[in-house]
């Protein structure tokens, strides 16, 4: 039987990779990744030369079949997402389920994630935090899900792109104007920024900055 390694990679700063992750990537037979060009930058930094194969959500079924074919031959495969810990907001979960069904070994190689990085600097009260990933790009679905999350007792974290973050904040301003928010923009990267306040305060800050760039991790807490 083969072995699948689920390998966490940096979310921005390429130095944020573990020794174990580097050694794993050096020793597997194949590396599966969302975007081979993106992953190649990481591998080049650490002088790792291994065959790459793509595995992404739009071609999930074919990607799983190709990975299983290698595992069936007794080979080892590492799966990495474009950034962070696989399985949180990428097709890693579907891959793990199928590989487990075929009784191949699965080994996690832990590391960073935007979710845990944000929580570490948020100072959020309580111990329970809900992770909901990316909300729907469709206004109605996004707003309905946001209402559901706001009705819960837990703090929660969502991810958002620069193209929709203002819409999300406008909806939070309407639905929960007093809720406290912590935003991590471009976490671990050169232009990393932490923003805190309610939705209106953060909208004002972003308005001053002008063009919105970067990926956003957003924590909403205190009902």
């Amino acid at each position: 039987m083969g072995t699948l390694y689920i390998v966490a990679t940096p979310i921005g700063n390429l130095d944020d990779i573990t020794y174990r992750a580097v050694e794993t990537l050096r020793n597997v037979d194949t590396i599966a990744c969302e975007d081979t060009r993106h992953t190649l930058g990481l591998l080049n930094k650490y002088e790792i030369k291994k065959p790459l194969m793509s595995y992404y959500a739009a071609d999930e079924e074919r990607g799983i079949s190709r990975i299983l074919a290698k595992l069936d031959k007794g080979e080892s495969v590492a799966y990495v997402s474009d950034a962070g810990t696989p399985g949180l907001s990428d097709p890693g979960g579907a891959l793990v389920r199928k590989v487990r069904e075929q009784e191949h070994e699965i080994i996690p190689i832990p590391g960073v994630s935007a979710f845990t990085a944000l929580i570490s600097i948020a100072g959020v009260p309580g111990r329970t935090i809900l992770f909901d990933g990316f909300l729907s790009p469709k206004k109605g679905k996004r707003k309905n899900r946001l209402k559901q999350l706001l009705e819960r007792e837990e703090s929660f974290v969502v991810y958002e792109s620069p193209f929709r973050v203002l819409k999300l904040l406008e909806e939070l301003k309407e639905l929960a104007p007093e809720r406290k928010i912590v935003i991590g923009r471009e976490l671990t990267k050169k232009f990393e920024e932490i923003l805190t306040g309610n939705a209106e305060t953060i909208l004002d800050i972003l308005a001053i900055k002008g063009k919105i760039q970067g990926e956003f991790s957003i924590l909403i807490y205190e009902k």
Side-chain angles (χ1 to χ4, degrees):
M1 303 299 283
T3 302
L4 174 68
Y5 294 90
I6 303 298
V7 182
T9 54
I11 59 176
N13 189 322
L14 296 185
D15 290 332
D16 290 338
I17 192 168
T18 67
Y19 290 115
R20 189 180 178 205
V22 170
E23 288 305 304
T24 299
L25 295 175
R26 282 178 175 156
N27 291 317
V28 293
D29 295 304
T30 304
I31 298 171
C33 51
E34 289 187 272
D35 186 330
T36 55
R37 294 165 300 179
H38 183 91
T39 299
L40 191 58
L42 174 66
L43 300 183
N44 286 341
K45 176 177 174 63
Y46 291 98
E47 300 181 343
I48 299 170
K49 298 184 183 299
K50 288 290 176 178
L52 296 177
M53 61 187 299
S54 60
Y55 171 62
Y56 52 95
D59 196 22
E60 189 176 281
E61 187 173 335
R62 189 168 74 97
I64 289 174
S65 295
R66 294 171 64 203
I67 293 170
L68 282 173
K70 291 187 174 296
L71 296 174
D72 288 341
K73 294 177 183 178
E75 297 181 12
S76 58
V77 177
Y79 171 61
V80 300
S81 61
D82 283 347
T85 301
L88 290 182
S89 192
D90 59 79
L95 173 63
V96 167
R97 288 193 298 273
K98 290 293 185 180
V99 170
R100 180 166 289 117
E101 287 175 5
Q102 298 301 315
E103 299 184 347
H104 293 291
E105 186 176 17
I106 304 171
I107 298 176
I109 309 297
V112 296
S113 75
F115 171 73
T116 53
L118 181 65
I119 296 303
S120 72
I121 53 85
V124 63
R127 296 189 301 173
T128 303
I129 300 171
L130 175 68
F131 174 72
D132 208 59
F134 283 95
L135 298 174
S136 173
K138 297 181 179 179
K139 181 179 179 179
K141 287 186 176 180
R142 183 179 65 246
K143 196 168 183 179
N144 286 336
R145 180 56 180 162
L146 198 54
K147 288 179 180 177
Q148 293 173 356
L149 292 169
L150 289 167
E151 289 171 358
R152 300 173 64 106
E153 294 294 330
E154 302 96 340
S155 302
F156 62 94
V157 172
V158 296
Y159 291 164
E160 195 50 271
S161 75
F163 310 108
R164 291 191 295 271
V165 68
L166 294 182
K167 294 177 182 177
L168 173 62
L169 288 168
E170 289 288 356
E171 289 164 352
L172 284 169
K173 179 181 175 181
E174 173 192 343
L175 297 171
E178 300 305 317
R179 282 289 188 101
K180 293 184 179 179
I181 300 171
V182 180
I183 288 182
R185 185 182 73 86
E186 292 291 87
L187 288 174
T188 78
K189 300 176 185 178
K190 182 178 180 180
F191 298 106
E192 174 183 272
E193 184 175 31
I194 307 299
L195 304 174
T196 62
N198 59 25
E200 183 175 12
T201 300
I202 296 174
L203 279 167
D204 289 343
I205 294 171
L206 293 177
I208 294 171
K209 293 179 179 298
K211 185 178 180 180
I212 305 300
Q213 294 179 305
E215 298 297 324
F216 291 79
S217 302
I218 304 168
L219 168 66
I220 298 97
Y221 67 99
E222 286 198 6
K223 189 170 182 178

